[in-house]
Amino acid sequence: MFTTRPTLHGTIGMVSSTHWLASQSAMAVLEDGGNAFDAAVAAGFVLQVVEPHLNGPAGEVPAIVAPAGGPVRVLCGQGPAPAAATVGHYTSLGLELVPGTGPLAAVVPGAFDAWMLMLRDLGTRTPAEVLRYAIEYAEHGHPALERVGMAVENVRELFENEWTSSAEVYLPGGRAPAGSGLLRNPDLAATWRRLIAESDAAGGDREARIDAARRIWREGFIGEAIAAHAARPAMDSSGERHASTLTGEDLAGWSASFEEPVRYDWQGWTVCKPGPWSQGPVLLQQLALLDPGLDAAAHGTPDYVHALVEGGKLAMADREAWYGDAAEVPMDDLLSDAYNAERRALIGPGASLEMRPGSPGGRAPVIGKHATGAAGDVPGYTPPDPVAGAGEPTVARNGEVRGDTCHIDVVDRWGNMVSATPSGGWLQSSPVVPSLGFPLGTRLQMTWLEPGLPSSLVPGRRPRTTLSPSLALRDGEPVLAFGTPGGDQQDQWQTHFFLAVALREPVRGRWDLQGAMDEPNWHQDSFPSSFYPRRMEPGSVTVEARAGEDMVAALRARGHRVTVAGGWTEGRLCAVARDPATGVLSAAANARGMQGYAVGR
């Protein structure tokens, strides 16, 4: 099969990320003797500078870490709803949904603390050593991606008239960032320099200085500036100005943490995902729903795609009924053989247009008013925007500006492996905090203002995030880390990629990571979106044109509402791998979007 690039192989270290400067910065850390966790942290901060339309310091980052010889764990960098973020508060403002932009959608920022916790417990470097790359790009500038300029132009009027602190950073002199020039963020560089100076002044060893940096973020000059900014009303997607519910007490009272992953065994693989406070187990449910007899002969056929689309609908219906941090999630039952055999029997020869959540362990599913009834009855169906699958910010039909996500995978010579999906706090989300150089996030938009649902808004609980890194083992050894931006599509695209790796013939004796990424991809939208304004597209399947007319015709004959997108629009996958028998490392990066790159040697 044609591939856009070779799968890289080496023995020293491998990095794959959604931006070449982040990948190369991480590789510089590996070359200097740092480990995979040091490298991932450095890359994470670079991504905040070079992909500010996709993530920021006040966003969030879940990661899966596999220290050499140690247990696989999930690092939760998803902050919870503030203490004052009650359903009653939002509905008293006349809201039916949490706004998709502005201070009112802010949760407790999680990304910075999570990166620092990874560095402290698993890394070897100091904050100064990992932040130096991001500081250099913020202070001296970097060539701006075309998409950054497009994102800023989309919100120019809002920046100039309402979010003036954002205009100061992203519209200097009234000009949006352009690829021909350098984009600088001197306030962000100054923030990191002051953080480093104050944490170093606190004294102590490496770990003590990292803990000092975490305190400064929560309670020092950064925390104070965030809390003061959150209290100031700003325009949001409701068309009104609102203040955040976030306070200094919320910032001081939360920290990132490690927890056990959810696991599923499939044909000799063990796949690890974050828990159901994310959508991560959706990937595992899709594997559990596959025909046990699935083999390489079925891969890529219309029957194969149809089965994955329909299985994906069932898994996403269960996400809507069962996943969230506001209720206990029956994960063991959702992944059990008996439950999935029963669910698999629902997949027929034609496309389903209904939301069909299951009853794990005999429990009755809980679906809100937003997703009840047959999806085919939803009026005004229109096909989705065929460019939305590119994994970049798009302007939704109602004028809302959406952000997206980044991804990083790293493996080092010692066998340490990490997969991380930073997102949120993007430049379109909320006004920039004056003097700090970054905005707050808007992850609270993923909660419902209808009480009693697993993903209802509850103070102190995490919104059900779409962020979903992946890590897979063979014979108990971590061998593959992967992930992608893409919101609700993340665990669809990752499922397709993983199956392509597992089912395709090896190339030169190793998994064909690049070939698996380059295959024509697709996604479906038969569930409520996680993003404001929470639309659902019953029966919709978006397919890359490269899938071919025969595939499109076969899916339409089965009743799927097919939208044919551009040839290279579905997914922005990254992946690294390690062969425990030889120590050979591999990496690949998706060519879609023209900015993801893998490096290594």
Side-chain angles (χ1 to χ4, degrees), residues 193-281:
R193 287 196 183 280
R194 181 176 172 185
L195 174 95
I196 290 167
E198 292 190 9
S199 61
D200 285 346
D205 59 12
R206 186 186 73 91
E207 290 79 7
R209 282 178 282 167
I210 293 172
D211 283 337
R214 298 171 73 194
R215 288 193 299 272
I216 293 164
W217 172 271
R218 293 194 292 258
E219 304 172 47
F221 79 94
I222 296 177
E224 291 172 355
I226 289 175
H229 175 74
R232 290 190 286 268
M235 181 65 68
D236 61 38
S237 53
S238 73
E240 303 290 337
R241 297 180 184 89
H242 296 111
S244 176
T245 58
L246 182 67
T247 67
E249 289 75 16
D250 294 313
L251 290 165
W254 180 86
S255 62
S257 59
F258 290 102
E259 60 187 53
E260 286 296 309
V262 179
R263 302 167 184 257
Y264 185 74
D265 295 329
W266 182 83
Q267 294 194 8
W269 296 80
T270 299
V271 184
C272 299
K273 297 292 291 185
W277 52 266
S278 76
Q279 70 173 6

Coordinates of all heavy atoms in Angstrom, one line a residue, residues 193-281:
R193 N 9.2 32.5 33.0 CA 10.5 32.9 33.6 C 10.3 33.3 35.1 O 11.2 32.9 35.9 CB 11.1 34.1 32.8 CG 11.6 33.7 31.5 CD 12.5 34.8 30.9 NE 13.0 34.5 29.6 CZ 14.0 33.7 29.3 NH1 14.7 33.1 30.3 NH2 14.4 33.5 28.1
R194 N 9.3 34.0 35.4 CA 9.0 34.3 36.8 C 8.7 33.1 37.6 O 9.2 32.9 38.8 CB 7.9 35.3 36.9 CG 7.6 35.7 38.3 CD 6.5 36.8 38.4 NE 6.1 37.1 39.8 CZ 5.1 37.9 40.2 NH1 4.4 38.5 39.2 NH2 4.8 38.1 41.4
L195 N 7.9 32.1 37.1 CA 7.7 30.9 37.8 C 8.9 30.2 38.1 O 9.1 29.7 39.3 CB 6.7 30.0 36.9 CG 6.5 28.6 37.5 CD1 5.2 28.6 38.2 CD2 6.4 27.6 36.3
I196 N 9.8 30.1 37.2 CA 11.1 29.4 37.4 C 11.9 30.1 38.4 O 12.5 29.4 39.4 CB 11.9 29.2 36.1 CG1 11.2 28.2 35.1 CG2 13.3 28.8 36.3 CD1 11.7 28.3 33.7
A197 N 12.0 31.4 38.4 CA 12.8 32.2 39.3 C 12.3 32.0 40.7 O 13.0 31.8 41.7 CB 12.8 33.6 38.9
E198 N 10.9 32.0 40.9 CA 10.4 31.9 42.2 C 10.5 30.5 42.8 O 10.7 30.3 44.0 CB 8.9 32.4 42.2 CG 8.7 33.9 42.0 CD 7.3 34.4 42.2 OE1 6.5 33.6 42.7 OE2 7.1 35.5 41.9
S199 N 10.3 29.5 41.9 CA 10.4 28.1 42.4 C 11.9 27.8 42.7 O 12.1 27.0 43.7 CB 9.9 27.1 41.3 OG 10.6 27.2 40.1
D200 N 12.8 28.3 42.0 CA 14.2 28.1 42.3 C 14.6 28.8 43.6 O 15.3 28.2 44.4 CB 15.1 28.6 41.2 CG 15.2 27.7 40.0 OD1 14.7 26.5 40.1 OD2 15.6 28.1 38.9
A201 N 14.0 30.0 43.8 CA 14.3 30.7 45.1 C 13.8 30.0 46.3 O 14.2 30.2 47.4 CB 13.7 32.1 45.0
A202 N 12.8 29.1 46.1 CA 12.2 28.4 47.2 C 13.2 27.4 47.7 O 13.1 26.9 48.9 CB 10.9 27.7 46.8
G203 N 14.2 27.0 46.9 CA 15.3 26.1 47.4 C 14.8 24.7 47.4 O 13.7 24.3 47.0
G204 N 15.8 23.8 47.9 CA 15.5 22.4 47.9 C 16.0 21.7 46.7 O 16.6 22.2 45.8
D205 N 15.7 20.4 46.7 CA 16.1 19.5 45.5 C 15.1 19.7 44.4 O 14.2 20.6 44.4 CB 16.2 18.1 46.0 CG 14.9 17.5 46.5 OD1 13.8 18.2 46.3 OD2 14.9 16.4 47.1
R206 N 15.3 18.9 43.3 CA 14.5 19.0 42.1 C 13.0 18.8 42.4 O 12.2 19.6 42.0 CB 14.9 17.9 41.1 CG 14.3 18.0 39.7 CD 14.7 16.8 38.9 NE 14.0 15.6 39.4 CZ 12.8 15.1 38.9 NH1 12.2 15.8 37.9 NH2 12.3 14.0 39.4
E207 N 12.7 17.8 43.2 CA 11.3 17.6 43.5 C 10.7 18.8 44.3 O 9.5 19.2 44.1 CB 11.1 16.3 44.3 CG 11.4 15.0 43.5 CD 12.9 14.7 43.3 OE1 13.7 15.5 43.9 OE2 13.2 13.8 42.6
A208 N 11.4 19.3 45.2 CA 10.9 20.5 46.0 C 10.7 21.7 45.1 O 9.7 22.4 45.3 CB 11.9 20.8 47.1
R209 N 11.5 21.9 44.1 CA 11.3 23.0 43.2 C 10.1 22.8 42.3 O 9.4 23.8 42.0 CB 12.6 23.3 42.4 CG 13.7 24.0 43.2 CD 14.9 24.2 42.3 NE 15.7 23.0 42.3 CZ 16.7 22.8 41.4 NH1 17.0 23.7 40.5 NH2 17.4 21.6 41.5
I210 N 9.9 21.6 41.9 CA 8.7 21.3 41.2 C 7.4 21.5 42.0 O 6.5 22.1 41.5 CB 8.7 19.8 40.6 CG1 9.8 19.7 39.6 CG2 7.4 19.5 40.0 CD1 10.1 18.3 39.1
D211 N 7.4 21.1 43.3 CA 6.3 21.3 44.1 C 6.1 22.8 44.4 O 5.0 23.3 44.5 CB 6.5 20.6 45.5 CG 6.2 19.1 45.3 OD1 5.5 18.7 44.4 OD2 6.7 18.3 46.2
A212 N 7.2 23.6 44.4 CA 7.1 25.0 44.6 C 6.4 25.6 43.3 O 5.5 26.5 43.5 CB 8.4 25.6 44.8
A213 N 6.8 25.1 42.2 CA 6.1 25.6 40.9 C 4.6 25.3 40.9 O 3.8 26.1 40.5 CB 6.8 25.0 39.7
R214 N 4.3 24.2 41.4 CA 2.8 23.8 41.5 C 2.1 24.7 42.5 O 1.0 25.1 42.2 CB 2.7 22.3 41.9 CG 3.3 21.3 41.0 CD 3.3 19.9 41.5 NE 2.0 19.4 41.6 CZ 1.7 18.2 42.2 NH1 2.6 17.7 43.0 NH2 0.5 17.8 42.2
R215 N 2.7 25.1 43.6 CA 2.1 26.0 44.5 C 1.9 27.4 43.9 O 0.9 28.1 44.1 CB 2.9 26.1 45.8 CG 2.8 24.8 46.7 CD 3.3 25.1 48.1 NE 4.8 25.5 48.1 CZ 5.8 24.6 48.1 NH1 5.5 23.3 48.1 NH2 7.0 25.1 48.1
I216 N 2.9 27.8 43.2 CA 2.9 29.1 42.6 C 1.7 29.2 41.6 O 1.0 30.2 41.5 CB 4.2 29.5 41.9 CG1 5.3 29.7 42.9 CG2 4.1 30.7 41.0 CD1 6.7 29.6 42.4
W217 N 1.5 28.1 40.8 CA 0.4 28.0 39.9 C -0.9 28.1 40.6 O -1.8 28.9 40.2 CB 0.5 26.7 39.1 CG -0.7 26.5 38.2 CD1 -1.9 25.9 38.6 CD2 -0.9 27.0 36.9 NE1 -2.8 25.9 37.5 CE2 -2.2 26.6 36.5 CE3 -0.1 27.6 36.0 CZ2 -2.7 26.8 35.2 CZ3 -0.6 27.9 34.7 CH2 -1.9 27.5 34.3
R218 N -1.1 27.4 41.7 CA -2.3 27.4 42.4 C -2.6 28.6 43.3 O -3.7 29.1 43.4 CB -2.4 26.1 43.3 CG -2.5 24.8 42.5 CD -2.9 23.7 43.4 NE -1.9 23.4 44.4 CZ -1.0 22.3 44.3 NH1 -1.1 21.5 43.2 NH2 -0.2 22.1 45.2
E219 N -1.5 29.1 44.0 CA -1.7 30.1 45.0 C -0.8 31.3 44.9 O -1.1 32.3 45.6 CB -1.5 29.4 46.4 CG -2.3 28.2 46.7 CD -1.9 27.5 47.9 OE1 -1.7 28.1 49.0 OE2 -1.7 26.2 47.9
G220 N 0.2 31.3 44.1 CA 1.1 32.4 43.9 C 0.6 33.4 42.9 O -0.7 33.6 42.7
F221 N 1.5 34.1 42.2 CA 1.1 35.1 41.3 C 0.2 34.6 40.2 O -0.7 35.4 39.7 CB 2.3 35.9 40.8 CG 3.1 35.2 39.7 CD1 2.8 35.5 38.4 CD2 4.0 34.2 39.9 CE1 3.5 34.9 37.3 CE2 4.7 33.6 38.9 CZ 4.4 33.9 37.6
I222 N 0.4 33.4 39.7 CA -0.4 32.9 38.7 C -1.8 32.6 39.2 O -2.8 33.0 38.6 CB 0.2 31.6 38.1 CG1 1.5 31.9 37.4 CG2 -0.8 30.9 37.0 CD1 2.3 30.7 36.8
G223 N -1.9 31.9 40.3 CA -3.3 31.6 40.8 C -4.0 32.8 41.2 O -5.3 32.9 40.9
E224 N -3.4 33.8 41.7 CA -4.0 35.1 42.0 C -4.6 35.8 40.8 O -5.7 36.3 40.8 CB -3.1 36.0 42.8 CG -2.7 35.5 44.2 CD -1.6 36.4 44.8 OE1 -1.1 37.2 44.1 OE2 -1.3 36.1 46.0
A225 N -3.8 35.8 39.7 CA -4.2 36.4 38.5 C -5.3 35.7 37.8 O -6.3 36.3 37.3 CB -3.0 36.5 37.5
I226 N -5.3 34.3 37.9 CA -6.4 33.5 37.3 C -7.7 33.8 38.1 O -8.8 34.0 37.5 CB -6.1 32.0 37.4 CG1 -5.0 31.7 36.3 CG2 -7.3 31.2 37.1 CD1 -4.5 30.3 36.4
A227 N -7.6 33.8 39.4 CA -8.8 34.0 40.2 C -9.4 35.4 40.0 O -10.7 35.6 39.9 CB -8.5 33.8 41.7
A228 N -8.6 36.4 39.9 CA -9.1 37.8 39.7 C -9.7 37.9 38.3 O -10.8 38.5 38.1 CB -7.9 38.8 39.9
H229 N -9.1 37.3 37.3 CA -9.6 37.3 36.0 C -10.9 36.6 35.9 O -11.9 37.0 35.2 CB -8.6 36.7 35.0 CG -9.0 36.5 33.6 ND1 -9.1 37.6 32.7 CD2 -9.4 35.4 32.9 CE1 -9.6 37.2 31.6 NE2 -9.8 35.9 31.6
A230 N -11.0 35.4 36.5 CA -12.3 34.6 36.5 C -13.5 35.4 37.0 O -14.6 35.2 36.6 CB -12.1 33.3 37.2
A231 N -13.2 36.3 37.9 CA -14.3 37.1 38.6 C -14.9 38.2 37.7 O -15.9 38.7 38.0 CB -13.9 37.6 39.9
R232 N -14.2 38.5 36.6 CA -14.6 39.6 35.7 C -15.5 39.0 34.6 O -15.1 38.1 33.9 CB -13.4 40.3 35.1 CG -12.6 41.1 36.0 CD -11.5 41.9 35.3 NE -10.4 41.1 34.8 CZ -9.3 40.9 35.5 NH1 -9.1 41.4 36.7 NH2 -8.3 40.2 34.9
P233 N -16.7 39.6 34.5 CA -17.6 39.1 33.4 C -17.1 39.3 32.0 O -16.3 40.3 31.8 CB -18.9 39.9 33.6 CG -18.8 40.4 35.0 CD -17.4 40.6 35.3
A234 N -17.3 38.4 31.1 CA -16.9 38.5 29.8 C -17.9 37.9 28.8 O -18.7 37.0 29.3 CB -15.5 37.8 29.6
M235 N -18.0 38.3 27.6 CA -18.9 37.8 26.6 C -18.7 36.3 26.4 O -17.6 35.9 26.3 CB -18.8 38.6 25.3 CG -19.8 38.2 24.2 SD -21.5 38.5 24.7 CE -21.5 40.3 24.6
D236 N -19.8 35.6 26.3 CA -19.7 34.2 25.9 C -20.7 33.8 24.9 O -21.3 34.7 24.3 CB -19.8 33.3 27.2 CG -21.2 33.4 27.9 OD1 -22.2 33.6 27.2 OD2 -21.2 33.4 29.1
S237 N -20.8 32.5 24.5 CA -21.6 32.1 23.4 C -23.1 32.2 23.6 O -23.9 32.0 22.7 CB -21.3 30.7 23.0 OG -21.4 29.8 24.1
S238 N -23.5 32.6 24.9 CA -24.9 32.9 25.1 C -25.3 34.2 24.6 O -26.5 34.6 24.5 CB -25.2 32.7 26.6 OG -24.7 33.9 27.3
G239 N -24.3 35.0 24.2 CA -24.6 36.4 23.8 C -24.7 37.4 25.0 O -25.0 38.6 24.8
E240 N -24.3 36.9 26.2 CA -24.3 37.7 27.4 C -22.9 37.7 28.0 O -22.1 36.8 27.7 CB -25.3 37.2 28.4 CG -26.8 37.2 27.9 CD -27.4 38.6 27.7 OE1 -26.9 39.5 28.3 OE2 -28.3 38.7 26.9
R241 N -22.7 38.6 29.0 CA -21.4 38.6 29.7 C -21.6 38.0 31.1 O -22.5 38.3 31.8 CB -20.9 40.1 29.9 CG -20.6 40.8 28.6 CD -20.1 42.2 28.8 NE -19.9 42.9 27.5 CZ -20.8 43.5 26.9 NH1 -22.0 43.6 27.4 NH2 -20.5 44.1 25.7
H242 N -20.8 37.0 31.4 CA -20.9 36.3 32.6 C -19.5 36.1 33.2 O -18.5 36.0 32.5 CB -21.5 34.9 32.4 CG -22.9 34.9 32.0 ND1 -23.2 34.4 30.7 CD2 -24.0 35.2 32.6 CE1 -24.6 34.5 30.6 NE2 -25.1 35.0 31.7
A243 N -19.4 36.1 34.6 CA -18.2 35.7 35.3 C -18.1 34.2 35.5 O -19.1 33.5 35.4 CB -18.1 36.5 36.6
S244 N -16.9 33.8 35.7 CA -16.7 32.3 36.0 C -17.1 32.0 37.4 O -17.2 32.9 38.3 CB -15.2 32.0 35.8 OG -15.0 30.6 36.2
T245 N -17.4 30.8 37.7 CA -17.6 30.3 39.1 C -16.3 29.9 39.7 O -16.3 29.6 40.9 CB -18.6 29.1 39.1 OG1 -18.0 28.1 38.3 CG2 -19.9 29.5 38.6
L246 N -15.2 30.0 39.0 CA -13.9 29.5 39.5 C -13.3 30.5 40.5 O -13.3 31.7 40.3 CB -12.9 29.4 38.3 CG -11.5 28.9 38.6 CD1 -11.5 27.4 39.0 CD2 -10.6 29.0 37.3
T247 N -12.8 30.0 41.6 CA -12.2 30.9 42.6 C -10.8 30.4 43.0 O -10.4 29.3 42.6 CB -13.1 30.8 43.9 OG1 -13.0 29.5 44.5 CG2 -14.5 31.2 43.6
G248 N -10.1 31.2 43.8 CA -8.8 30.8 44.3 C -8.9 29.6 45.1 O -7.9 28.8 45.1
E249 N -10.0 29.4 45.9 CA -10.1 28.2 46.7 C -10.2 27.0 45.8 O -9.7 25.9 46.2 CB -11.3 28.3 47.6 CG -11.2 29.3 48.7 CD -11.3 30.8 48.3 OE1 -11.8 31.0 47.1 OE2 -10.9 31.6 49.0
D250 N -10.9 27.1 44.7 CA -10.9 25.9 43.8 C -9.5 25.6 43.2 O -9.2 24.4 43.2 CB -11.8 26.3 42.6 CG -13.3 26.4 42.9 OD1 -13.8 25.6 43.7 OD2 -13.9 27.4 42.5
L251 N -8.8 26.6 42.9 CA -7.4 26.4 42.4 C -6.5 25.7 43.4 O -5.8 24.7 43.2 CB -6.8 27.7 41.9 CG -7.4 28.3 40.7 CD1 -6.9 29.8 40.6 CD2 -6.9 27.6 39.4
A252 N -6.6 26.2 44.7 CA -5.8 25.7 45.7 C -6.1 24.3 46.2 O -5.3 23.6 46.7 CB -5.8 26.7 46.9
G253 N -7.4 23.9 46.0 CA -7.9 22.7 46.5 C -7.8 21.4 45.6 O -8.2 20.4 46.0
W254 N -7.2 21.6 44.4 CA -7.1 20.5 43.5 C -5.7 20.2 43.1 O -4.9 21.1 42.9 CB -8.0 20.7 42.3 CG -8.0 19.6 41.3 CD1 -8.8 18.5 41.3 CD2 -7.1 19.4 40.2 NE1 -8.5 17.6 40.3 CE2 -7.4 18.2 39.6 CE3 -6.1 20.2 39.6 CZ2 -6.8 17.8 38.4 CZ3 -5.4 19.8 38.5 CH2 -5.8 18.5 37.9
S255 N -5.4 19.0 42.8 CA -4.1 18.6 42.2 C -4.3 17.4 41.3 O -5.2 16.6 41.5 CB -3.0 18.3 43.2 OG -3.4 17.2 44.0
A256 N -3.5 17.3 40.3 CA -3.5 16.1 39.4 C -3.2 14.8 40.2 O -2.6 14.9 41.3 CB -2.5 16.3 38.3
S257 N -3.5 13.7 39.6 CA -3.3 12.4 40.3 C -3.1 11.3 39.4 O -3.5 11.3 38.2 CB -4.5 12.1 41.3 OG -5.7 12.1 40.5
F258 N -2.6 10.2 39.9 CA -2.4 8.9 39.1 C -3.6 8.0 39.5 O -4.0 8.0 40.7 CB -1.1 8.3 39.4 CG 0.1 9.0 38.8 CD1 0.9 9.8 39.6 CD2 0.4 8.9 37.4 CE1 2.0 10.4 39.1 CE2 1.4 9.6 36.9 CZ 2.3 10.3 37.7
E259 N -4.0 7.2 38.6 CA -5.0 6.2 38.9 C -4.9 5.0 37.9 O -4.1 5.0 37.0 CB -6.4 6.8 38.7 CG -6.7 7.3 37.3 CD -8.0 8.1 37.2 OE1 -8.2 9.0 38.0 OE2 -8.8 7.7 36.3
E260 N -5.6 3.9 38.2 CA -5.5 2.7 37.4 C -6.2 2.9 36.0 O -7.3 3.6 36.0 CB -6.2 1.5 38.1 CG -5.4 1.0 39.3 CD -4.1 0.4 38.8 OE1 -4.1 -0.4 37.9 OE2 -3.0 0.8 39.4
P261 N -5.7 2.4 35.0 CA -6.4 2.4 33.7 C -7.5 1.4 33.6 O -7.5 0.5 34.4 CB -5.3 2.1 32.7 CG -4.4 1.2 33.4 CD -4.4 1.7 34.8
V262 N -8.4 1.6 32.7 CA -9.4 0.5 32.3 C -8.7 -0.3 31.2 O -8.1 0.3 30.3 CB -10.7 1.1 31.8 CG1 -11.7 0.0 31.4 CG2 -11.3 2.0 32.9
R263 N -8.8 -1.6 31.3 CA -8.1 -2.5 30.4 C -9.1 -3.4 29.7 O -10.1 -3.8 30.3 CB -7.1 -3.4 31.1 CG -6.0 -2.6 31.9 CD -5.3 -3.5 32.9 NE -4.3 -2.8 33.7 CZ -3.0 -2.8 33.5 NH1 -2.5 -3.5 32.5 NH2 -2.2 -2.1 34.3
Y264 N -8.7 -3.8 28.5 CA -9.5 -4.9 27.8 C -8.5 -5.7 27.0 O -7.6 -5.2 26.3 CB -10.5 -4.3 26.8 CG -11.4 -5.3 26.2 CD1 -12.4 -5.9 27.0 CD2 -11.3 -5.7 24.9 CE1 -13.2 -6.9 26.4 CE2 -12.1 -6.6 24.3 CZ -13.1 -7.2 25.1 OH -13.9 -8.2 24.5
D265 N -8.7 -7.0 27.0 CA -7.9 -8.0 26.3 C -8.6 -8.4 25.0 O -9.7 -8.8 25.0 CB -7.6 -9.3 27.1 CG -6.8 -9.0 28.4 OD1 -6.0 -8.1 28.3 OD2 -7.0 -9.7 29.4
W266 N -7.8 -8.2 23.9 CA -8.4 -8.6 22.6 C -7.3 -9.2 21.7 O -6.2 -8.6 21.4 CB -8.9 -7.3 21.9 CG -9.5 -7.5 20.6 CD1 -10.8 -8.0 20.3 CD2 -8.8 -7.4 19.3 NE1 -11.0 -8.1 18.9 CE2 -9.8 -7.8 18.3 CE3 -7.6 -7.0 18.9 CZ2 -9.5 -7.7 16.9 CZ3 -7.3 -7.0 17.5 CH2 -8.2 -7.4 16.6
Q267 N -7.5 -10.5 21.3 CA -6.6 -11.2 20.4 C -5.1 -11.0 20.8 O -4.3 -10.7 19.9 CB -6.9 -10.8 19.0 CG -8.2 -11.2 18.5 CD -8.4 -11.1 17.0 OE1 -7.4 -10.8 16.3 NE2 -9.6 -11.2 16.5
G268 N -4.8 -11.2 22.1 CA -3.4 -11.2 22.5 C -2.9 -9.8 22.9 O -1.8 -9.6 23.3
W269 N -3.7 -8.8 22.7 CA -3.4 -7.4 23.1 C -4.1 -7.1 24.4 O -5.2 -7.6 24.6 CB -3.8 -6.4 22.0 CG -3.2 -6.5 20.7 CD1 -3.4 -7.4 19.7 CD2 -2.1 -5.7 20.2 NE1 -2.6 -7.2 18.6 CE2 -1.8 -6.1 18.9 CE3 -1.4 -4.6 20.7 CZ2 -0.8 -5.5 18.1 CZ3 -0.4 -4.0 20.0 CH2 -0.1 -4.5 18.7
T270 N -3.5 -6.2 25.2 CA -4.2 -5.6 26.3 C -4.2 -4.1 26.0 O -3.1 -3.5 26.0 CB -3.6 -5.9 27.6 OG1 -3.6 -7.3 27.8 CG2 -4.3 -5.2 28.8
V271 N -5.4 -3.5 25.9 CA -5.4 -2.0 25.6 C -5.9 -1.3 26.8 O -6.8 -1.7 27.5 CB -6.5 -1.8 24.4 CG1 -6.5 -0.3 24.1 CG2 -6.1 -2.6 23.2
C272 N -5.1 -0.2 27.2 CA -5.4 0.5 28.4 C -5.9 1.9 28.0 O -5.4 2.6 27.1 CB -4.1 0.7 29.1 SG -3.3 -0.8 29.7
K273 N -6.9 2.4 28.8 CA -7.5 3.7 28.5 C -7.8 4.4 29.8 O -7.9 3.7 30.9 CB -8.8 3.5 27.8 CG -8.7 2.8 26.4 CD -8.0 3.8 25.4 CE -8.9 5.0 25.0 NZ -8.2 5.8 24.0
P274 N -8.0 5.7 29.8 CA -8.5 6.4 31.0 C -9.9 5.9 31.3 O -10.6 5.4 30.5 CB -8.5 7.9 30.5 CG -7.6 8.0 29.4 CD -7.6 6.6 28.7
G275 N -10.3 6.2 32.5 CA -11.6 5.7 33.0 C -12.8 6.4 32.4 O -12.6 7.3 31.6
P276 N -14.0 6.1 32.8 CA -15.2 6.6 32.1 C -15.5 8.1 32.5 O -16.6 8.5 32.2 CB -16.3 5.6 32.6 CG -15.8 5.0 33.9 CD -14.3 5.0 33.7
W277 N -14.6 8.8 33.3 CA -14.7 10.2 33.3 C -14.3 10.8 32.0 O -14.5 12.0 31.7 CB -13.9 10.8 34.5 CG -12.5 10.3 34.5 CD1 -12.0 9.2 35.2 CD2 -11.4 10.9 33.9 NE1 -10.6 9.1 35.0 CE2 -10.2 10.1 34.2 CE3 -11.2 12.0 33.0 CZ2 -8.9 10.4 33.7 CZ3 -9.9 12.2 32.5 CH2 -8.8 11.4 32.9
S278 N -13.6 10.0 31.2 CA -13.3 10.3 29.8 C -14.2 9.4 28.9 O -15.0 8.7 29.4 CB -11.8 10.0 29.5 OG -11.6 8.6 29.3
Q279 N -14.0 9.6 27.6 CA -14.7 8.6 26.7 C -13.9 7.4 26.4 O -14.2 6.6 25.5 CB -15.2 9.4 25.4 CG -14.0 9.7 24.5 CD -14.5 10.3 23.2 OE1 -15.7 10.5 22.9 NE2 -13.6 10.5 22.3
G280 N -12.7 7.3 27.0 CA -11.7 6.3 26.7 C -12.3 4.9 26.5 O -11.9 4.2 25.6
P281 N -13.1 4.4 27.5 CA -13.6 3.0 27.3 C -14.5 2.8 26.1 O -14.8 1.6 25.8 CB -14.4 2.8 28.6 CG -13.8 3.7 29.6 CD -13.4 4.9 28.8

